[in-house]
Amino acid sequence: MAEILFRAARVETLCIDWLDDFTLFYHRASGITHLLTAPAPEILAALGEAGLTLAALTGRLAADFDLADGDEQALAARLDELIAAGLVEAA
C-alpha cells in the first residue's frame, strides 16, 4: 500500500502575511482567513506543493529545526487540522 503524500495548498490560492508571532493565510478558494502560529507555517513551508510523506516531513522538520526526535503522532494531528482548514491535502 502506498504511503499518503501530504501537499500544501497551491501558493496562488493563498495570500500570506506575517503579523508578529502569527502568520495570516487567506485561502482564496474558501474565502477563509486563518491565523496560524508555529509549527503550522513551518509545516506548510516544508511540505510545499510537491508534497512529502509523514516520515519524510518528520525528518525534514527534525533536520531544519535541529529536533532530537520527531513525534509523528503529534505531526499527524497537526496535518489533520491543516487538512480540515483546507491548507493541506492528502493523496
Side-chain angles (χ1 to χ4, degrees):
M1 184 177 201
E3 288 190 75
I4 297 172
L5 191 65
F6 298 94
R7 290 184 183 94
R10 292 187 342 262
V11 172
E12 62 269 11
T13 66
L14 300 172
C15 179
I16 303 169
D17 201 0
W18 294 267
L19 307 166
D20 295 324
D21 292 337
F22 293 93
T23 305
L24 180 141
F25 286 81
Y26 173 69
H27 188 237
R28 290 182 175 107
S30 67
I32 297 174
T33 300
H34 304 274
L35 284 173
L36 304 177
T37 60
E42 293 80 1
I43 291 170
L44 291 170
L47 282 176
E49 291 181 41
L52 295 168
T53 63
L54 179 60
L57 178 60
T58 302
R60 175 158 310 158
L61 292 172
D64 289 352
F65 297 99
D66 197 27
L67 304 175
D69 56 347
D71 183 347
E72 283 192 11
Q73 288 182 333
L75 183 54
R78 299 296 75 76
L79 286 169
D80 287 342
E81 293 169 355
L82 293 168
I83 289 168
L87 298 175
V88 169
E89 68 176 42

